[in-house]
Amino acid sequence: EFDFENVTIDQHGPLAVLTVNRPKALNALNSETLGEISQAIDLIMDNAEISALIITGSGEKAFVAGADISELSQLTDVYAGRDVALAGQDVMTQISQLPIPVIGAVNGFALGGGFELALACDIRVASPRSRLGLPEVTLGLLPGFGGTQRLSRLVGAGRALDLMLTARQISAEEALQMGIVNYIADEPLSKAREVAESIIKNGPIAISLVKEAVRRGLDTTLEAGCEIEADLFGMAVATADFREGTGAFLAKRKPEFKGE
Ligand code: CAA
């Protein structure tokens, strides 16, 4: 149905699984693959049945081993370099702004742009074998797909700077302790599905409003963030889903949300 070179999409009822599938380069993100991820997400969002997205990598070894180093190595021009970063950032922003929950199933190496892809997800599940890191400085580069910003916001500048400046790889266990990874599971894809299922039982509008409040709040002051929260709270109480959720609680039955 889809004609992608390096990305596959599978649908399991309300769950879509997007797999980066470029095994010869450990799923590294060349510009073609980034473009396909973006198009695949557009297709997934056109499907009204889908209420959660899981992003993973093919094979046992890697989630995504970074941006494609052979492609990057051709860059010399300041403006061309900036455009490459902006193009990658656009895809990460597209992911982080989706109204549905996005779970990263980190099944192996998540390095550089691969770590940044995982950071664009809402929640991360890692296999015990996975290794995470931002090795860009070893290449004379810095993270360019949002990593300097998203990692600092997630774990604070001190821990983010340690990882970015030393370029060290961390285990899933250390990533869990730092709050980078939410769960460790032998089968990260099935755990990701389980987490997705537990989220999508809840009101879909409420889910998208939570995501929006957190995302927009991180870009502003506490006061302005609380105002955003209040605005979105106002939107929530005007939904049929809120009538259903509260009505179901009071009637001691399970809610059936319609996303209205
Ligand atoms: N880009 C292009 N090709 C890559 C790649 C990448 N990021 N990562 C791995 N590959 C290729 C290798 O070149 C190799 O290809 P060949 O078989 O044709 O030689 C193949 O994938 C298998 O990789 P290795 O032989 O290196 O496998 P390994 O088990 O020895 O090592 C690894 C695994 C530690 C992940 C190692 O591949 C590695 O260090 N990869 C690069 C990681 C990295 O530096 N990522 C950051 C990229 S820069 C970036 O992402 C910038 C940004 O912020 C946007």
Side-chain angles (χ1 to χ4, degrees):
E1 195 189 339
F2 308 113
D3 197 18
F4 295 129
E5 201 59 41
N6 304 317
V7 165
T8 61
I9 306 174
D10 299 288
Q11 186 181 347
H12 308 265
L15 306 185
V17 179
L18 187 163
T19 306
V20 182
N21 181 27
R22 198 177 163 234
K24 66 173 183 207
L26 299 182
N27 306 325
L29 303 174
N30 58 5
S31 44
E32 185 189 34
T33 306
L34 276 168
E36 289 184 356
I37 292 172
S38 178
Q39 288 176 50
I41 289 169
D42 284 341
L43 280 172
I44 289 164
M45 294 313 294
D46 283 345
N47 181 343
E49 283 172 29
I50 298 296
S51 41
L53 171 63
I54 295 170
I55 299 180
T56 193
S58 71
E60 291 280 291
K61 194 166 166 183
F63 173 68
V64 167
D68 188 286
I69 297 173
S70 23
E71 205 180 77
L72 289 182
S73 69
Q74 304 303 308
L75 289 168
T76 51
D77 178 73
V78 172
Y79 297 100
R82 182 173 185 273
D83 285 346
V84 164
L86 290 174
Q89 287 173 7
D90 279 350
V91 179
M92 304 309 152
T93 301
Q94 180 188 8
I95 293 168
S96 69
Q97 292 189 350
L98 289 175
I100 59 172
V102 185
I103 318 235
V106 177
N107 53 304
F109 285 111
L111 301 175
F115 193 174
E116 293 171 295
L117 176 62
L119 288 170
C121 300
D122 300 318
I123 292 172
R124 283 154 290 282
V125 180
S127 81
R129 300 165 300 283
S130 54
R131 308 278 300 167
L132 300 93
L134 290 168
E136 282 85 348
V137 292
T138 67
L139 302 165
L141 208 58
L142 69 156
F145 294 173
T148 60
Q149 304 306 303
R150 284 202 177 83
L151 187 60
S152 309
R153 281 166 174 73
L154 185 63
V155 299
R159 285 188 284 199
L161 281 164
D162 171 44
L163 292 188
M164 288 185 274
L165 298 179
T166 63
R168 71 189 175 92
Q169 284 180 12
I170 57 172
S171 64
E173 189 57 46
E174 191 177 351
L176 183 76
Q177 278 166 20
M178 290 173 81
I180 292 170
V181 154
N182 300 83
Y183 305 92
I184 297 179
D186 283 326
E187 301 289 344
L189 190 55
S190 50
K191 179 66 184 176
R193 281 195 208 171
E194 189 188 309
V195 174
E197 296 285 359
S198 74
I199 294 173
I200 64 178
K201 286 191 299 223
N202 304 312
I205 298 175
I207 287 167
S208 74
L209 294 175
V210 167
K211 288 190 53 166
E212 185 179 343
V214 172
R215 187 182 68 246
R216 288 174 54 198
L218 283 172
D219 289 338
T220 187
T221 61
L222 177 64
E223 195 182 357
C226 285
E227 250 171 67
I228 291 167
E229 184 184 79
D231 289 345
L232 299 178
F233 192 89
M235 287 170 65
V237 303
T239 62
D241 279 355
F242 173 65
R243 305 254 79 76
E244 170 63 13
T246 49
F249 175 83
L250 295 171
K252 302 190 189 301
R253 61 170 176 83
K254 282 218 168 87
E256 276 178 49
F257 295 113
K258 295 202 173 66
E260 292 165 4

